[in-house]
């Protein structure tokens, strides 16, 4: 999708383990003000079901495998984070749903702002209205 980028980041291997990293000005173009993570992620239950009006995020899966389905109200694109060297840089405006493909997967998220419920759209019909308005105002999505 236009404003979602899956990037393969570097892996520095040593006998003691592997290390990966990403940085502002390289893979991401925003400051991270909040980090949260979803863990004890059950395979049965989908999560997400919301969009963010302004929040930008970077997502990575340090353990396990997670499928993330994004839509802009028209097309659906599936991404799979199944390796710690894959990150997903997600601009604002996409409806998303997550599913864990492996028991105990962990999803980490770096977000451009602190938590604000006002930034969420949690109703899909309202999301479609918001997309319509946004397209009329500017090319938000
Ligand atoms: P939510 O973003 O809806 O999780 P998911 O999309 O994975 O289902 O958040 C779940 C709950 O946690 C919701 O009540 C809001 C709360 N929450 C915070 O208080 N702070 C945060 O930084 C986040 C991400 C969620």
């Amino acid at each position: 999708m236009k404003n979602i980028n899956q990037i393969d980041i570097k892996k520095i291997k040593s006998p003691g383990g592997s290390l990966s990293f990403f940085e502002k000005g390289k893979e991401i173009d925003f400051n991270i003000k909040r980090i949260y993570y979803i863990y004890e992620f059950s395979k049965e239950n989908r999560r997400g079901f919301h969009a963010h009006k302004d929040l930008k995020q970077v997502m990575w899966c340090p353990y396990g495998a997670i499928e993330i389905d994004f839509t802009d109200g028209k097309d659906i694109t599936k991404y799979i984070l199944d390796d710690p060297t894959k990150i997903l840089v997600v601009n604002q405006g996409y409806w998303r749903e997550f599913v864990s493909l492996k028991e105990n997967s962990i999803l980490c998220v770096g977000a451009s702002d602190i938590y604000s419920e006002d930034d969420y759209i949690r109703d899909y019909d309202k999301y479609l209205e918001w997309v319509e308005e946004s397209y009329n105002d500017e090319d938000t999505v």
Side-chain angles (χ1 to χ4, degrees):
M1 264 174 174
K2 199 172 75 178
N3 284 318
I4 301 176
N5 291 316
Q6 187 172 315
I7 301 171
D8 293 320
I9 56 173
K10 237 182 171 173
K11 178 175 187 171
I12 299 180
K13 275 184 97 158
S14 70
S18 300
L19 182 152
S20 293
F21 56 91
F22 53 87
E23 295 174 319
K24 187 187 171 194
K26 292 187 180 157
E27 292 82 5
I28 59 169
D29 66 355
F30 54 88
N31 287 326
I32 292 178
K33 290 195 184 165
R34 171 171 53 118
I35 290 176
Y36 64 91
Y37 32 98
I38 298 168
Y39 54 103
E40 298 168 354
F41 204 143
S42 80
K43 274 176 74 185
E44 292 78 35
N45 297 305
R46 286 174 84 78
R47 302 183 60 111
F49 303 99
H50 65 253
H52 288 286
K53 292 180 224 168
D54 289 315
L55 195 74
K56 297 179 179 190
Q57 295 170 310
V58 54
M59 301 177 176
W60 69 102
C61 175
Y63 177 80
I66 289 163
E67 178 186 308
I68 310 170
D69 302 335
F70 289 98
T71 183
D72 55 6
K74 293 189 185 99
D75 301 316
I76 297 173
T77 308
K78 288 180 191 291
Y79 293 88
I80 292 181
L81 294 176
D82 58 359
D83 190 284
T85 59
K86 288 181 186 173
I87 66 169
L88 213 49
V89 182
V90 185
N91 271 291
Q92 68 273 27
Y94 293 96
W95 183 268
R96 79 281 313 274
E97 297 178 20
F98 308 96
V99 64
S100 171
L101 304 177
K102 188 172 170 180
E103 208 61 51
N104 290 322
S105 295
I106 300 172
L107 178 65
C108 294
V109 182
S112 63
D113 213 341
I114 59 169
Y115 174 75
S116 164
E117 190 56 36
D118 289 346
D119 187 63
Y120 280 74
I121 305 171
R122 292 190 183 273
D123 177 281
Y124 191 66
D125 289 334
K126 290 210 174 76
Y127 171 68
L128 293 177
E129 285 168 22
W130 179 84
V131 170
E132 196 67 32
E133 285 163 19
S134 304
Y135 270 123
N136 291 339
D137 289 351
E138 54 180 315
D139 198 12
T140 308
V141 177

